[in-house]
Amino acid sequence: MAMSAATAMPASPAWETVSAASLQPEQADGDAIDVNVQDRHIYITVRRPQQVSVLSILGQMISQTTLQPGTYRLRIASRGIYILKIGTTTRRVTV
């Protein structure tokens, strides 16, 4: 019996490009990184290409990619504490 799309395993969340006009950074870094959490999304602004990883507090990989300069958001399905690694910077975020 073939597995239907409705019963398939969900894909990893993907970063989406967004406009940064309405965001007020929660944390700013002189190394060109801004982080904000709103409405179960993690928003980041990077000013140079950065390797970005999001892990659960238990260390499970949620997302890993390289982002080009710009503002992005990642929808987080479950509330909780996550570890955000951007380049050599590591931050804890609460969603």
Side-chain angles (χ1 to χ4, degrees):
M1 184 173 192
M3 184 181 278
S4 71
T7 60
M9 295 296 288
S12 296
W15 288 97
E16 303 172 301
T17 304
V18 296
S19 169
S22 65
L23 296 178
Q24 297 296 322
E26 236 176 48
Q27 304 170 351
D29 187 328
D31 195 25
I33 302 167
D34 295 331
V35 177
N36 191 7
V37 176
Q38 283 182 342
D39 303 322
R40 295 178 75 174
H41 286 85
I42 298 173
Y43 291 84
I44 65 169
T45 300
V46 294
R47 292 174 189 83
R48 60 184 174 135
Q50 296 280 354
Q51 176 74 30
V52 178
S53 301
V54 179
L55 298 97
S56 72
I57 195 68
L58 299 175
Q60 179 183 10
M61 183 67 66
I62 305 297
S63 174
Q64 183 173 18
T65 192
T66 299
L67 298 177
Q68 298 303 312
T71 300
Y72 300 87
R73 74 177 179 184
L74 180 69
R75 178 153 178 18
I76 300 296
S78 299
R79 293 180 186 200
I81 299 171
Y82 294 86
I83 306 300
L84 180 62
K85 294 183 179 183
I86 306 171
T88 59
T89 303
T90 302
R91 297 200 179 136
R92 185 190 78 167
V93 295
T94 303
V95 177

